[in-house]
Amino acid sequence: MSKISKISGFPEFLPGQKLAEEQIVARIRQVYQRAGFVPIETPAVELLSTLQAKGSVDKEIYVLRRLHAEGDEREELALHFDLTVPFSRYVAQHFASLNFPFKRYQLQKVWRGERPQKGRYREFYQFDIDIICRDDLPVSCDAEAIDVFAEALSLIGLPEYEIRINDRKILLGFYEALGLNPEQQKKTISMVDKLDKIGRDGVLKGLQQDVALDAATAQRILDLTDRRLAPKEAAEVLGAMQIDNPLFAQGVQDTLALLELISEESLSRIVIDLSLARGLDYYTGLILEVRMKEYPEFGSIGSGGRYDNLASEFTSQKLPGVGFSIGLSRILGFLFEEKRIEIPRDSTTEVLIAVYNEEQRRECARLARDLRREGVAAEVYFKSPKLGKQLDFADARGIPYVLFVGTEDGSLQVKDLRSKEQSALASVGELVERVRSGRSNG
Amino acid sequence: MSKISKISGFPEFLPGQKLAEEQIVARIRQVYQRAGFVPIETPAVELLSTLQAKGSVDKEIYVLRRLHAEGDEREELALHFDLTVPFSRYVAQHFASLNFPFKRYQLQKVWRGERPQKGRYREFYQFDIDIICRDDLPVSCDAEAIDVFAEALSLIGLPEYEIRINDRKILLGFYEALGLNPEQQKKTISMVDKLDKIGRDGVLKGLQQDVALDAATAQRILDLTDRRLAPKEAAEVLGAMQIDNPLFAQGVQDTLALLELISEESLSRIVIDLSLARGLDYYTGLILEVRMKEYPEFGSIGSGGRYDNLASEFTSQKLPGVGFSIGLSRILGFLFEEKRIEIPRDSTTEVLIAVYNEEQRRECARLARDLRREGVAAEVYFKSPKLGKQLDFADARGIPYVLFVGTEDGSLQVKDLRSKEQSALASVGELVERVRSGRSNG
């Protein structure tokens, strides 16, 4: 017999957990669809050259090899490590068939070829949305994307969380005003992004040693990261900063315009956090990160931002966009572990039809079909042992109703396993009504 | 700029097609859930040793290698090539946490590391259901699985198809009665399974040359494959065959019991096809295959059967089961190509809210949220150009209604783009009603 070993980094849910995941996914999908987003899906596999088109990739990649490959076959296929690169390739490839603004959602697994390490996933779901425009992207799109993303987040059952936003232009304008050259600005972004990891002293030291800034400049950059503003104080505080730099001014203006546009519900979650830098090169304006307040060490559970050009590696079309990603598997893994989410019972069945003897199985199956046609989840017990055993089966799975069919006259009786009451039914329709009203009360 | 090349064998849908796929998947999932099946999902990745646990695998496997692997790392991970092997491993691994009979559905991609070849997929979705019992599996489970599978098939929008069934015991009993030893029986199954590919003469020749049968025996085996019976003639014809063999008799008895139990709807699709052999070793009773009548050359679009022991490689528990798989990607690829399925428009939006000027965007966004809360898919135009342009946008995407909000008084007007009529609205609620009734008529 083959030994089964768990493979670290490849999480696997039990049926109840998978059911909870499906329910959450259905809710998020509905939010996205109702806001006019359409689904896309790309293969798990891309050409390795596509995945590396944006230059060197710091994510670990899994390359594919055919087990029965012949000696001269080149390894050119690999599993995608995020959904952004495949999405860029997709938009460039199908450009002529798409309508712009192109608003898409995409729920897929991604793979990271990392060495096994506790708590690190090597296969996980991401749930992305993006809005892509041709040539220019108004700030209304940033606001729309945030609102829809925030509504999706609100349906997951997360503990208290906040949506931190910042604008790259504010950071870069501030650094420019301090006299940093573009190369230094870029390095400073990376250094500030490490604040959580290496701490304030680490950043201060890094800015001086790696970015060659003087102590006073480094300190001013660090001071900026202390600023965390509620949306309603943003105008006043950012306006009072008196930084004489057009990029900075534009960043402030765009941020205030954004805050004007987004909904009250979203605003209640938002903090303007000037320490937020985001590591990725391609962000050019809004950047965003979601964190759980009570679990700061858990890190970001959702993130994204605005970029000037989605697919410059694959097409000459200018395609600015804004988008966010929900780290679905990480979030669910956490919620399950912390018992923060109610896991549905292992069955969605609402009515179990008991079977007195095999002669009546066909009739029972017909009743089950009638119930299902009315939207009631029903199944027939698979054998015909003593009724006690069949009731135990329903109990163990949390099935609320058991239906009995008289062997002589086909008369119907139902037992409610929660109230333990048993009663006669005039028709299947009566049971359908009972199940429906039980749902809304339960 | 990086060149984009299509990778053969990795299909990719446009948004409207993906939307159609999501709708079909939702319908199938509902059928399975209402019948008491629960979802599971396994990682895409298994240990190579797990995938090979059932012995030599004739499917081509993709092995994973970390791009930055160090020299001494062993390649031990691979992508699954079907859902049956991962399911076996899953049931064995989580045995103590599962309820039996365990009824699961599983929709996932599988990968085949084949050489590129026209029309051959290397990545595709399969949608599987199985019922697994402990120790013994009554024929009622075969019937239940067929009924639920047949209902799912009926929701896909397939052209005329038939569900062919047979029983391995009928074949093996027949071969045994002809004097074939077990090894010859096994080889004969494989040979008969090739009937479509190599034709009658090929099978006749193969049975004599490869299985070492005399011409008369080979002919009798070939003759059996001519038998195609409607369910209602099965009892008479099979009974009249006068094969004196207990295995054959058991196969006939089980088949007739099965036909007694399944629904009229399923029966109307079913043919008892004694040429059906199925290649896979592990089937022990019922075997099944679905084919489109007008496209015989397309081959099987769904298949499965009954097996005595799901997970004998991984556990000493005896777990007989019955299950079927829908070749979802192959089916959808075909339906799209043949224009056999209506592809929804590229947007699910029902109401576009036009924007006269940016001052009213916040109000428009609020109205959009009100509509969505009532279940109406609504979006706000992303800029505020002349109305004609906004109407063109709605037209191009097939959005049926455009809502106008008065800049002075907030008064509402709606234009129905199908009737071209424009009218005043007393409230958003009125529009919700209009959209809802338009849905049921449309």
Side-chain angles (χ1 to χ4, degrees):
Chain A
M1 227 176 310
S2 216
K3 205 178 143 266
I4 303 171
S5 357
K6 260 196 176 165
I7 323 178
S8 150
F10 293 86
E12 182 166 77
F13 292 153
L14 286 170
Q17 296 172 320
K18 177 69 190 162
L19 214 44
E21 183 191 84
E22 281 196 355
Q23 288 167 359
I24 287 170
V25 164
R27 275 181 241 144
I28 297 177
R29 185 182 279 136
Q30 189 182 62
V31 166
Y32 291 162
Q33 277 195 11
R34 282 197 184 154
F37 288 74
V38 292
I40 75 161
E41 177 166 350
T42 63
V45 171
E46 300 279 345
L47 291 174
L48 182 57
S49 58
T50 299
L51 296 181
Q52 294 180 320
K54 275 183 197 288
S56 75
V57 177
D58 63 342
K59 304 277 187 293
E60 295 278 358
I61 294 180
Y62 276 125
V63 179
L64 303 186
R65 185 178 62 78
R66 292 174 58 226
L67 184 59
H68 302 300
E70 281 132 64
D72 60 338
E73 275 184 50
R74 279 190 310 144
E75 289 176 353
E76 49 178 14
L77 300 178
L79 295 175
H80 57 217
F81 56 86
D82 73 2
L83 302 180
T84 304
V85 177
F87 178 48
S88 314
R89 193 266 311 145
Y90 182 98
V91 171
Q93 186 171 337
H94 303 291
F95 184 77
S97 309
L98 303 175
N99 286 313
F100 291 88
F102 181 50
K103 301 175 14 178
R104 82 85 170 80
Y105 64 88
Q106 188 173 358
L107 169 67
Q108 286 189 249
K109 280 180 175 170
V110 303
W111 290 266
R112 303 277 165 90
E114 317 209 20
R115 279 186 167 282
Q117 200 179 335
K118 201 190 152 353
R120 194 68 78 87
Y121 287 174
R122 297 195 277 170
E123 170 176 324
F124 53 96
Y125 272 112
Q126 287 193 334
F127 207 153
D128 283 20
I129 51 166
D130 283 85
I131 304 177
I132 309 295
C133 287
R134 294 181 67 163
D135 301 324
D136 74 307
L137 180 89
V139 70
S140 69
C141 291
D142 297 43
E144 182 182 353
I146 287 186
D147 276 349
V148 173
F149 176 69
E151 190 180 346
L153 279 177
S154 75
L155 300 174
I156 298 179
L158 289 165
E160 270 297 280
Y161 59 93
E162 58 185 23
I163 300 174
R164 304 178 184 184
I165 64 167
N166 194 4
D167 193 303
R168 271 277 171 91
K169 299 193 290 300
I170 291 180
L171 296 182
L172 295 174
F174 184 82
Y175 302 159
E176 200 173 68
L178 289 175
L180 274 66
N181 65 39
E183 189 55 29
Q184 287 176 312
Q185 292 170 27
K186 212 173 135 180
K187 282 187 177 168
T188 299
I189 291 278
S190 302
M191 196 57 71
V192 169
D193 186 49
K194 291 184 192 150
L195 187 59
D196 268 2
K197 235 182 263 173
I198 63 176
R200 297 175 63 89
D201 289 348
V203 171
L204 213 48
K205 215 168 108 184
L207 288 174
Q208 295 174 72
Q209 289 179 357
D210 302 355
V211 197
L213 302 181
D214 60 57
T217 305
Q219 188 61 51
R220 286 199 64 185
I221 287 171
L222 192 65
D223 288 348
L224 188 73
T225 67
D226 290 335
R227 301 288 187 122
R228 289 170 51 88
L229 316 172
K232 59 181 174 212
E233 57 179 345
E236 195 183 342
V237 176
L238 292 171
M241 281 180 66
Q242 303 273 5
I243 308 294
D244 186 21
N245 177 282
L247 194 61
F248 182 88
Q250 186 66 50
V252 170
Q253 189 187 316
D254 286 356
T255 301
L256 296 178
L258 175 68
L259 293 172
E260 279 298 313
L261 284 174
I262 58 186
S263 73
E264 290 301 324
E265 291 91 326
S266 307
L267 275 182
S268 70
R269 300 281 186 190
I270 280 186
V271 172
I272 296 103
D273 181 345
L274 298 186
S275 78
L276 185 64
R278 303 285 307 147
L280 288 167
D281 257 9
Y282 53 75
Y283 292 123
T284 51
L286 170 70
I287 44 182
L288 176 151
E289 206 171 88
V290 185
R291 288 185 182 243
M292 295 183 285
K293 285 182 178 176
E294 303 161 48
Y295 304 89
E297 74 291 353
F298 193 76
S300 156
I301 56 173
S303 60
R306 168 195 264 260
Y307 39 90
D308 270 350
N309 212 343
L310 174 73
S312 54
E313 301 81 11
F314 305 116
T315 171
S316 56
Q317 294 284 346
K318 197 187 163 210
L319 298 168
V322 58
F324 309 112
S325 177
I326 297 178
L328 191 69
S329 298
R330 279 191 78 228
I331 291 176
L332 288 177
F334 169 83
L335 294 175
F336 291 145
E337 204 166 297
E338 296 280 317
K339 298 191 172 39
R340 281 269 179 184
I341 200 169
E342 202 187 331
I343 296 170
R345 57 197 174 83
D346 249 21
S347 165
T348 55
T349 302
E350 295 168 302
V351 176
L352 176 73
I353 304 178
V355 183
Y356 286 106
N357 59 51
E358 290 303 316
E359 283 66 51
Q360 69 167 181
R361 177 168 301 283
R362 217 183 138 79
E363 166 68 1
C364 293
R366 198 186 54 70
L367 287 167
R369 284 196 296 279
D370 288 347
L371 286 166
R372 290 174 198 154
R373 212 167 287 131
E374 296 299 322
V376 171
E379 60 183 311
V380 179
Y381 195 79
F382 73 118
K383 291 182 178 175
S384 43
K386 289 207 176 104
L387 284 188
K389 198 158 180 185
Q390 305 189 43
L391 288 165
D392 288 348
F393 173 96
D395 243 351
R397 303 193 177 208
I399 299 173
Y401 302 95
V402 179
L403 179 65
F404 306 99
V405 185
T407 48
E408 300 295 314
D409 54 1
S411 64
L412 304 178
Q413 296 240 342
V414 66
K415 180 160 188 171
D416 183 328
L417 291 192
R418 293 162 305 189
S419 68
K420 309 288 173 205
E421 273 167 36
Q422 185 162 335
S423 50
L425 290 168
S427 69
V428 171
E430 205 185 316
L431 178 55
V432 171
E433 284 315 311
R434 183 109 49 115
V435 173
R436 282 190 189 145
S437 66
R439 270 186 214 150
S440 41
N441 301 335
Chain B
M1 224 173 317
S2 215
K3 204 177 143 269
I4 303 171
S5 357
K6 260 195 176 166
I7 324 178
S8 150
F10 293 86
E12 182 167 77
F13 292 154
L14 285 170
Q17 295 172 318
K18 178 68 190 162
L19 215 43
E21 183 191 83
E22 280 196 357
Q23 289 166 0
I24 287 170
V25 164
R27 272 181 244 145
I28 297 177
R29 185 182 279 135
Q30 190 181 63
V31 166
Y32 291 163
Q33 277 196 11
R34 281 197 186 153
F37 288 72
V38 292
I40 75 159
E41 177 166 349
T42 63
V45 171
E46 299 280 346
L47 292 173
L48 181 57
S49 59
T50 299
L51 296 181
Q52 295 180 321
K54 274 182 198 288
S56 75
V57 177
D58 64 340
K59 304 278 187 291
E60 295 278 358
I61 295 180
Y62 277 126
V63 178
L64 303 186
R65 185 176 61 78
R66 292 174 58 226
L67 184 58
H68 302 300
E70 281 132 64
D72 61 337
E73 275 186 50
R74 279 192 311 144
E75 289 177 353
E76 49 180 13
L77 300 178
L79 295 175
H80 57 218
F81 57 84
D82 73 1
L83 302 180
T84 303
V85 178
F87 177 49
S88 315
R89 192 266 310 146
Y90 182 98
V91 171
Q93 186 169 339
H94 303 292
F95 183 77
S97 310
L98 303 176
N99 286 314
F100 292 86
F102 181 50
K103 302 178 9 180
R104 81 85 169 82
Y105 63 88
Q106 187 172 0
L107 168 67
Q108 285 189 248
K109 280 179 174 168
V110 303
W111 291 265
R112 303 277 165 90
E114 318 210 19
R115 283 186 165 282
Q117 199 180 336
K118 202 188 149 356
R120 193 67 78 89
Y121 288 174
R122 297 194 278 169
E123 172 177 323
F124 52 96
Y125 273 112
Q126 286 193 335
F127 207 153
D128 283 20
I129 50 166
D130 282 87
I131 304 178
I132 309 296
C133 288
R134 294 181 68 164
D135 301 322
D136 74 306
L137 180 88
V139 71
S140 68
C141 291
D142 296 44
E144 181 182 354
I146 287 187
D147 277 348
V148 173
F149 176 70
E151 190 181 345
L153 279 176
S154 75
L155 300 173
I156 298 179
L158 289 165
E160 271 297 283
Y161 59 93
E162 58 185 22
I163 300 174
R164 304 179 184 183
I165 65 167
N166 196 3
D167 194 303
R168 271 277 172 89
K169 299 193 290 298
I170 292 180
L171 296 182
L172 295 174
F174 185 80
Y175 303 159
E176 202 173 68
L178 289 174
L180 276 64
N181 65 39
E183 189 55 30
Q184 287 175 312
Q185 293 171 25
K186 212 171 132 180
K187 282 187 176 167
T188 300
I189 292 278
S190 303
M191 196 58 70
V192 169
D193 186 48
K194 291 184 192 148
L195 186 59
D196 268 2
K197 234 181 265 172
I198 63 175
R200 298 176 62 89
D201 289 348
V203 170
L204 214 46
K205 216 168 108 183
L207 288 175
Q208 295 173 73
Q209 289 179 357
D210 301 355
V211 195
L213 302 180
D214 59 60
T217 306
Q219 188 60 50
R220 286 199 65 186
I221 288 171
L222 193 64
D223 289 346
L224 187 72
T225 68
D226 290 335
R227 300 287 186 123
R228 291 169 49 85
L229 317 173
K232 59 181 173 213
E233 57 180 345
E236 195 183 343
V237 178
L238 291 172
M241 281 179 64
Q242 302 274 5
I243 308 295
D244 185 22
N245 177 281
L247 194 60
F248 181 89
Q250 186 67 48
V252 170
Q253 188 187 319
D254 285 356
T255 300
L256 297 178
L258 175 69
L259 292 172
E260 279 299 312
L261 283 175
I262 59 187
S263 73
E264 289 301 325
E265 292 92 324
S266 308
L267 276 182
S268 70
R269 300 281 186 192
I270 280 186
V271 173
I272 296 103
D273 180 346
L274 297 186
S275 77
L276 186 63
R278 302 285 308 148
L280 289 167
D281 257 9
Y282 52 76
Y283 292 122
T284 51
L286 171 70
I287 45 182
L288 176 152
E289 205 171 87
V290 185
R291 290 188 181 239
M292 296 184 286
K293 286 184 178 174
E294 302 162 49
Y295 304 89
E297 73 291 354
F298 192 78
S300 157
I301 57 173
S303 60
R306 167 194 266 260
Y307 39 89
D308 269 350
N309 212 344
L310 174 73
S312 54
E313 301 80 13
F314 305 115
T315 171
S316 56
Q317 293 284 347
K318 196 185 166 213
L319 298 168
V322 58
F324 309 112
S325 177
I326 297 179
L328 192 68
S329 298
R330 278 192 78 227
I331 291 176
L332 288 176
F334 168 83
L335 293 176
F336 291 145
E337 203 167 296
E338 296 279 318
K339 298 191 173 38
R340 281 268 178 184
I341 200 169
E342 201 186 333
I343 295 170
R345 57 196 175 83
D346 249 20
S347 165
T348 54
T349 302
E350 295 168 301
V351 176
L352 176 72
I353 304 178
V355 183
Y356 286 107
N357 59 51
E358 291 303 315
E359 282 68 49
Q360 68 167 184
R361 178 168 300 282
R362 218 184 137 78
E363 166 69 2
C364 293
R366 198 184 54 70
L367 287 166
R369 282 196 297 278
D370 288 348
L371 286 166
R372 290 174 199 154
R373 212 166 287 131
E374 296 299 322
V376 171
E379 61 182 311
V380 180
Y381 196 78
F382 74 118
K383 289 182 178 176
S384 43
K386 290 209 176 102
L387 285 188
K389 200 160 176 183
Q390 304 189 43
L391 288 165
D392 288 349
F393 173 95
D395 244 350
R397 302 193 179 210
I399 300 173
Y401 302 95
V402 180
L403 179 65
F404 306 100
V405 185
T407 48
E408 301 293 314
D409 54 1
S411 65
L412 303 178
Q413 297 240 342
V414 66
K415 179 160 188 173
D416 182 328
L417 290 190
R418 293 162 304 188
S419 68
K420 309 290 174 204
E421 272 167 37
Q422 186 162 335
S423 50
L425 291 169
S427 68
V428 171
E430 204 184 315
L431 178 55
V432 171
E433 285 313 312
R434 183 110 46 114
V435 173
R436 282 191 189 145
S437 66
R439 268 184 215 151
S440 40
N441 301 334

